[in-house]
Amino acid sequence: PYLEDVVEGARSSGKRIQMDFTTLEYMNSASLPPLIGFLRKLAEEKVHGELLYDAKRKVQAASFRALEMIAQNSKYTKVRGVG
């Protein structure tokens, strides 16, 4: 629900969303479904959004690479490794 409100706010104001996970120290598989839903919602609402992660952190790289594959299906979503 929170992320849906964020998407709606961006859509109604014409803004883009960027979420920065580069400082995230731990992530497990339970983190993925909400982010997948978020990427889908961005695409449905035609809101541009980008998730950033630290490509050097193994704990992030595996999960976010999977999200990159999902994000590639829409011109509105992007997942990008930095560092």
Side-chain angles (χ1 to χ4, degrees), residues 2-4 6-7 10 16-24 27 31-32 34-42 47-54 60 64 67 76-82:
Y2 172 77
L3 292 177
E4 289 179 12
V6 170
V7 173
R16 296 172 178 258
I17 297 172
Q18 184 180 71
M19 297 175 77
D20 186 344
F21 293 92
T22 57
T23 60
L24 185 70
M27 183 174 186
S31 307
L32 293 178
L35 293 175
I36 292 169
F38 178 68
L39 291 171
R40 288 186 178 148
K41 187 71 173 173
L42 288 171
V47 173
H48 290 276
E50 178 178 47
L51 306 182
L52 302 176
Y53 70 95
D54 186 341
Q60 290 185 22
F64 280 97
L67 292 171
Y76 296 100
T77 58
K78 185 174 183 179
V79 176
R80 182 168 54 99
V82 295

